[in-house]
Amino acid sequence: MFREKQNIITVSKSIVKTLLVLTILFFLLNWLFPVPDKIEYSTIVTDNKGEVIHAFLTKDQQWRMKTELNEISPLLRKTILAKEDKYFYQHFGINPFSIIKSMIKNVVRMRRTSGASTISMQVARALEPKKRTYINKLIEMFRAMQLELKYSKDQILQIYLNLVPYGGNIQGVKSASTLYFKKNPDHLSLAEITALSIIPNRPSSLVIGKNNDLIIIERNKWLKKFAAEKVFSEKEIADALKEPLTATRGAAPFFIPHLAYKLKKSGSDIIKTNIQMNTQLKIEALVRDYSHSLVLKNIRNAAVIVIDNNTHKIIAYTGSANFRDTIDAGQVNGAAAIRQPGSTLKPLLYGLCIDQGLLTPKMVITDVPINYNGYAPENYDKQFNGYVTMEAALEHSLNIPAVKSLKALGKDNLIQKLALCHFQQIKKDQAKLGLSLILGGCGATLEELTGMYSLFANEGVFIKPSFTQSDTGNKKNTILSPASSFMINEILSKVNRPDFPLNWESTAHLPKIAWKTGTSYGRRDAWSIGYNKNYTVGIWVGNFSALGIPELSGANVATPLLFKIFNTIDYNNDAEWFHQPNDCDTRIVCSETGLLPDEHCQNLITDYFIPMVSPARKCDNMQEIAISADEKISYCKSCQPENGYKKKWFKIIAPEMQRYFDERHIVYEKIPPHNPNCEKIFKEGGPVVTSPLNGNEYLINKKSPDPLQLSCIVGGDVSKVYWYINNKFYKACDAKANQFFIPEEGPVKISCTDDKGRNRNIIIRVRYVNL
């Protein structure tokens, strides 16, 4: 008895030692030969509902779409385990009982009739394919235990469902369900799951779409086996047996190609977008049809982005009229291409000027010729409009008031705000951008512009629009105040304005929107971006070849498409418009200046303003001036006589506006010339030389030298000026007349003296070259 106990103890110790050695050996081998579990999946793109809308082949040209754990439905799990591995959740990667049972069967029948591979072993074989030998079977078992050590049971099942072959280059249940049944795995029926489960054993003879009748026979055998084993209820089996199999292999989904290729660069296996396919398909059809209607004008492409203003998600994205159009470069992503933005940045500029206390909607700006160090902008129609309000300047998209406003605000302040709105190219080019920035002299994308416009619908707060569902928690940047945003919204929502499309047939059901158009230099890009409380829609129309088209304009080419889209996605919307915020108030101002009225202001209007921010100075449009009894001369305080004069109120007109009126023969009441006997030398108000420009270098052709123009701006009391070149008298002329001269090479001093003795000097440099 004692000996027997000793033997048992000895055997037990031997077993323990053996197990310990085997365990140590397993972990050593596991460390030396880690499981090769690196799997390349097909990149798939899904819509807001999780449906696959685009997919890419792997590098080895396989459709291997990743099935997520939440897509493994209880029905799918139950069916696969019932067929492949009933004790999957009980074993450690190897099922000893199945191995013994299989060995007995194979010995009795003298051939291999059944295997003993668990799901874990099948995963190991899929990860590391080898010939079927006993040695390789042992390696497969070792790999299966490695998988059990590294992953949970659910994860192993997930890997199995991702790698199981379904014929051809289709791997994984998601690829099969998408390409054969056009649905996600969690939507498959019992009959469909069973049909798919039998294909891996005979992938060449059981091909869905070719051998459907044979597949139904094999499927029904398994369904009856499930019934015999009471895996499913009789009704479930009966319904599955009656279900026809009409599936065929289809093409992989190929929607939103431009966005799909853009997002694929992230490297994710599954890219979950916020695209709403119903809206996306409607917009694609509109863009395709609208672009087709422009072909006769040689305008061939368009791009559209739609943002949901309530969620800040991009719900539609179209990069071109037709991705498959190789003639007109349909593969180019017009929504992400860097283009000249035209006038589309003006609303942000004026909003910033309002917040800085520089402007209010009714404040007056002069729209007359200007020149900033050689930069002389022009309006779209090459005309000047004199006095205009900020509101009118934005409505008419006037260029000169915009440049003046940017000069007052400072271009770096605007660029700083644009950088917060993720304008990458503008941020990159900040050092070399000038005042032309506001007229489109910069680079921007439709993505950036549409995102920026969405801030007007969000009380001036910019939240970067999210392309994917993982884009959460985007930082909020306050760009404008609620008050200035509201003022801009009111201006841009007016229908009676010049950029309303001439060929738009009806506005009966057009929802109320605010919008702004833009046309780039050379008429290469037409923009129209609109918004209301629900959506922000960005439109670009043009040619990817950058071909300029005379008929191309934001108003008449891009805006009709904008209206069509709003009519489609927000038809007859009666939602409330933006409410006037608490930080915005109204006041009475002088219509001639937009400032608080003085006692002499007679024409009064209502204007929005921001308390404690907007200008609070009173209108100084009128001034009382001492003049002679015959009203032929005026006096200053230094030369005003004791008697023999009278005082009269005059409207003060800046020299630039006097010149504007004189050139157009517009009658206005002029202040009489100043007293010629006045002995005071005026240090201020001297002539301003507008041409040539001080400090500039001028290159003149040696063979055919062109003269330089001499011009200046003077006060209203000046009638004559005197020009001097290098301290030598050159010519006397009318104050508003232009003169010309051919300069000598080298530094040239130019002096201009008015008839009141006020003088201005500039120095330029002249160089003669062979041109």
Side-chain angles (χ1 to χ4, degrees), residues 342-350 353 359 361 363-370 372 375-407 435-440 491-492 497-499 516-519 657 660 664:
S343 298
T344 54
L345 299 178
K346 289 176 181 176
L348 178 62
L349 166 68
Y350 286 122
C353 287
L359 293 171
M363 279 190 66
V364 172
I365 311 170
T366 56
D367 179 21
V368 294
I370 55 173
Y372 293 120
Y375 177 55
E378 294 180 327
N379 288 323
Y380 187 75
D381 58 3
K382 310 291 186 183
Q383 301 297 315
F384 304 99
N385 299 278
Y387 292 120
V388 295
T389 63
M390 185 220 86
E391 181 179 62
L394 180 54
E395 286 177 5
H396 292 72
S397 197
L398 300 177
N399 290 340
I400 292 173
V403 173
K404 283 186 171 182
S405 300
L406 181 57
K407 179 72 173 177
L435 295 176
S436 63
L437 157 72
I438 197 58
L439 306 185
I491 296 171
L492 295 183
R497 52 194 246 208
D499 61 350
K516 180 71 182 75
T517 62
T519 307
M657 283 304 300
Y660 173 83
R664 287 156 182 76

Side-chain angles (χ1 to χ4, degrees), residues 419-448:
L420 291 175
C421 295
H422 297 272
F423 280 72
Q424 299 301 326
Q425 190 64 36
I426 290 178
K427 184 180 179 180
K428 179 181 177 182
D429 296 339
Q430 179 173 358
K432 59 184 179 182
L433 291 176
L435 295 176
S436 63
L437 157 72
I438 197 58
L439 306 185
C442 58
T445 68
L446 182 63
E447 295 173 355
E448 294 166 346

Side-chain angles (χ1 to χ4, degrees), residues 78 225-234:
K78 188 176 181 181
K225 187 175 181 180
F226 291 155
E229 295 176 356
K230 299 187 182 302
V231 178
F232 299 101
S233 67
E234 292 182 4

Side-chain angles (χ1 to χ4, degrees), residues 748-764:
V748 178
K749 178 182 178 183
I750 299 173
S751 305
C752 181
T753 304
D754 64 19
D755 54 15
K756 300 297 179 289
R758 296 171 291 199
N759 182 71
R760 186 83 63 182
N761 298 323
I762 68 166
I763 295 177
I764 64 172

